[in-house]
Amino acid sequence: MASRIPELIDALMAQLTADPGLSGVVVVDGPEMSEAKSPDWLVVGFNGDPDGDFQAAQALGGWASLATGREEQIELTVAAIATRGETEVRAARQRVYEIGARLEALLAADPSVGLRSLEVAIEASQLVQVQTDQGVQARLLLTVAGRAFT
């Protein structure tokens, strides 16, 4: 099946891992296993919930025309995660919005993320705040959505 989702994830990973504004943030592709002990993460294609459904992305599409191919509506989950060793929520919440702002700036500068016939932006967000045995954790769930042609 033709889909632009795999190349969108690859393009985001390449640009986010190279972003100096994300220094100190572990940027990973999906629910990767990592030995990194950073309190700050940016996860492309996973909502960061180990008890969740692990849905990375979804697409809805149809034919743009019989001659030109298929139009695809894309939604990709990206999670910014900040864990703090204390129980005060404010610092973790502020940090996830700082991390999310880096993705927003990247997409504002180039909605195509360097790919032809593709345009995406952050179209929805959800803030999750939980107390864990390691302290407070804030997760900012971002929906990167748009359209592409295959």
Side-chain angles (χ1 to χ4, degrees), residues 67-83:
T68 60
R70 183 173 175 266
E71 180 180 2
E72 184 176 40
Q73 301 294 321
I74 296 172
E75 289 186 358
L76 172 67
T77 299
V78 178
I81 303 169
T83 304

Side-chain angles (χ1 to χ4, degrees), residues 46-114:
F46 179 52
N47 70 3
D49 180 1
D51 298 322
D53 64 7
F54 291 86
Q55 179 175 316
Q58 64 181 3
L60 175 66
W63 291 102
S65 79
L66 292 176
T68 60
R70 183 173 175 266
E71 180 180 2
E72 184 176 40
Q73 301 294 321
I74 296 172
E75 289 186 358
L76 172 67
T77 299
V78 178
I81 303 169
T83 304
R84 298 296 177 259
E86 67 269 352
T87 59
E88 197 266 312
V89 176
R90 186 173 186 271
R93 181 176 54 245
Q94 285 182 317
R95 184 61 178 142
V96 294
Y97 276 94
E98 291 169 1
I99 296 167
R102 297 305 307 166
L103 174 61
E104 183 179 41
L106 182 152
L107 297 177
D110 181 9
S112 74
V113 289

Side-chain angles (χ1 to χ4, degrees), residues 5 15 17 22 34 43 53 59 66 73-74 80-81 86 95 97 112 114 119 123 127 130 132 140-141 146 150:
I5 291 171
Q15 292 185 33
T17 56
L22 290 172
S34 175
V43 186
D53 64 7
L66 292 176
Q73 301 294 321
I74 296 172
I81 303 169
E86 67 269 352
R95 184 61 178 142
Y97 276 94
S112 74
E119 185 176 79
E123 291 195 359
L127 177 63
V130 297
T132 71
L140 181 60
L141 307 178
T150 58

Side-chain angles (χ1 to χ4, degrees), residues 133-148:
D133 52 356
Q134 284 88 36
V136 67
Q137 182 185 83
R139 277 185 290 137
L140 181 60
L141 307 178
L142 303 168
T143 301
V144 174
R147 64 186 212 152

